[in-house]
Amino acid sequence: DIVTKADGAVGQVGGRAVGMVATGPKVLAQEIQGLDVPREAKGRARDIAEEIDKTKQKTRHSDLYRDILNYDYRFREVAVERTQEADDARKKRYFARKAYYDGDPRAARDGWVDAMQSWQDLLNKEEFADISIDSQFIREIIEIVDKFVIILDNINEIFTGKEPLQGLIRNKLKQDSDPDEVLAALDYAKGTFEKGDYAKCEEYFSRICNRFEGINFSTEFMKLAPLPDLRDKALEANAYYIRTLRKLDKPLPEPLPLRSYVELMMKHDEAFAAAVNSAQTGFQLLHESKAAEAQAAFDKSIELWKPLLDKYPLIPLDSTLQNYAELKLLAAGYVKALQDQKKELPKDFILNEFMK
């Protein structure tokens, strides 16, 4: 644009000047010395080249400062804040907060999830996909997730694992305490367990469980298991650790790593309800002197308990747990149903250790 504003004489060499100005005014001066143009035009061309060079320097400095001050991220944050999705999210959050203080925490929970979904819709847009996890905007959304924990605590719930913003939570977790290393260590330790080297496994799984405990307490929201895959891996590590100790005929350490986390997950595991309900049906039938039908109901309950005992091997080792009491009662009911039918208890009865 600058070259095209030169006078008519400079215009004769404009095409060549455009190609030369990138090398700077000194080189341009050398190039135009031999051209048959008025001296004034040569001087004007040099002045234009110097102006272009200065502008380029300013542009380089501007780019440098923009990078230092994180200008582009800030600009996108401003753009994010002006979107309809951001406005919707704030409105939903406002009404969710109002519901909470009005004494309706479940309505607050639902409204908060809706607000989180609006933020998720916004982050799904291509133009905002690369906003830095360190940006103030993202930190504010993480704070929204932290506040959601207060609502869940109030109604005695944990994350369902289906809430929005899981990708953001995962990125935040990787920044604070990357779980990839502990997941790889878990796979290695499981392989060692299959080989029967339980002495090494004890050390491996102890460290892995402690690492998971650190991850679970790295943020407020991680305590309530927002990431189902990571929650399952933590439970798996605890289960392998307990199995290893049983193979070595060793007692559980005090404190047992991940114990409180495992108990929290058991409390909210819906699979227990089906097993308990089936046992209750068996007791009702037993009360009605229907021993055969009661046994069938107890058998169904036992089948439902099997995967739970595999998932939570802590249960038969801790008589203070509610689940232990339920299994002890189930075992007694099963024995009574067999006695009423004059049947013998199977030698490999899965609930034998609850009859001691």
Side-chain angles (χ1 to χ4, degrees):
D1 291 336
I2 297 176
V3 173
T4 58
K5 296 178 183 179
D7 57 26
V10 175
Q12 297 176 18
V13 295
R16 188 175 180 186
V18 170
M20 292 187 292
V21 289
T23 60
K26 291 184 179 179
V27 176
L28 176 62
Q30 295 173 358
E31 291 288 339
I32 65 174
Q33 279 300 328
L35 295 179
D36 186 16
V37 294
R39 179 178 300 175
E40 295 80 5
K42 293 180 180 180
R44 178 63 178 152
R46 284 193 294 270
D47 291 342
I48 293 171
E50 289 176 354
E51 186 175 350
I52 292 174
D53 192 60
K54 291 178 182 178
T55 302
K56 289 176 66 178
Q57 289 184 28
K58 289 180 180 179
T59 299
R60 286 194 295 271
H61 290 154
S62 176
D63 289 341
L64 175 63
Y65 294 138
R66 283 166 68 107
D67 183 59
I68 293 173
L69 298 175
N70 213 15
Y71 172 84
D72 291 327
Y73 282 128
R74 298 298 183 195
F75 183 81
R76 280 197 292 276
E77 286 180 32
V78 172
V80 166
E81 291 289 345
R82 297 174 61 184
T83 60
Q84 184 62 47
E85 290 90 346
D87 191 46
D88 290 343
R90 292 191 199 93
K91 289 178 180 177
K92 291 174 181 177
R93 184 178 61 184
Y94 167 78
F95 287 111
R97 184 184 288 115
K98 185 175 184 301
Y100 180 80
Y101 287 113
D102 286 346
D104 193 351
R106 284 179 171 76
R109 173 200 59 198
D110 296 341
W112 212 266
V113 171
D114 285 344
M116 290 163 63
Q117 184 60 59
S118 291
W119 289 121
Q120 182 66 72
D121 293 341
L122 188 58
L123 293 175
N124 286 343
K125 289 190 171 184
E126 184 177 354
E127 60 265 38
F128 303 131
D130 63 341
I131 292 182
S132 171
I133 190 70
D134 291 318
S135 68
Q136 180 62 31
F137 170 69
I138 296 297
R139 287 198 294 271
E140 288 175 1
I141 296 182
I142 291 294
E143 185 178 348
I144 291 171
V145 180
D146 279 336
K147 294 290 175 54
F148 186 53
V149 171
I150 298 175
I151 297 175
L152 292 178
D153 276 337
N154 188 267
I155 55 179
N156 197 27
E157 291 185 3
I158 62 174
F159 283 87
T160 65
K162 300 177 182 179
E163 290 84 3
L165 300 176
Q166 285 205 17
L168 184 63
I169 291 171
R170 198 176 299 276
N171 289 337
K172 175 62 176 174
L173 177 62
K174 285 186 176 182
Q175 183 189 51
D176 294 342
S177 52
D178 193 343
D180 290 345
E181 182 181 347
V182 69
L183 293 177
L186 176 59
D187 288 338
Y188 181 83
K190 286 162 58 180
T192 306
F193 183 90
E194 297 304 323
K195 294 176 182 176
D197 194 346
Y198 304 124
K200 287 184 178 179
C201 284
E202 180 184 5
E203 179 183 357
Y204 292 162
F205 287 121
S206 175
R207 291 181 179 181
I208 290 168
C209 287
N210 279 302
R211 284 289 306 279
F212 270 117
E213 193 146 74
I215 290 172
N216 292 340
F217 284 90
S218 61
T219 64
E220 286 299 313
F221 52 78
M222 282 306 298
K223 297 176 185 178
L224 299 186
L227 303 175
D229 56 329
L230 206 60
R231 173 201 62 202
D232 292 343
K233 291 295 184 181
L235 293 176
E236 186 178 27
N238 174 267
Y240 266 99
Y241 184 36
I242 292 175
R243 291 189 200 111
T244 298
L245 292 173
R246 298 196 73 173
K247 290 285 187 181
L248 297 170
D249 198 24
K250 288 187 175 183
L252 298 182
E254 288 292 343
L256 175 68
L258 290 175
R259 183 191 183 95
S260 60
Y261 188 77
V262 170
E263 291 182 359
L264 181 65
M265 295 306 107
M266 286 195 294
K267 180 180 178 181
H268 293 280
D269 194 328
E270 296 178 355
F272 284 103
V276 172
N277 289 339
S278 184
Q280 289 175 346
T281 300
F283 283 110
Q284 180 61 37
L285 291 167
L286 197 61
H287 180 72
E288 297 171 2
S289 300
K290 298 177 180 178
E293 292 91 333
Q295 181 188 347
F298 289 141
D299 281 330
K300 180 181 177 181
S301 179
I302 289 171
E303 288 302 311
L304 293 171
W305 273 105
K306 284 180 180 178
L308 292 170
L309 289 170
D310 187 60
K311 187 177 182 179
Y312 304 106
L314 173 65
I315 294 174
L317 302 180
D318 188 348
S319 60
T320 66
L321 295 173
Q322 176 64 29
N323 295 318
Y324 183 98
E326 289 166 346
L327 284 164
K328 191 174 180 65
L329 189 62
L330 173 58
Y334 193 83
V335 170
K336 180 68 168 62
L338 292 181
Q339 287 175 345
D340 288 355
Q341 300 175 79
K342 296 182 171 51
K343 289 183 178 180
E344 295 291 330
L345 187 69
K347 292 182 179 179
D348 58 349
F349 184 43
I350 190 173
L351 301 182
N352 270 331
E353 56 190 328
F354 295 96
M355 298 173 61
K356 299 175 182 178

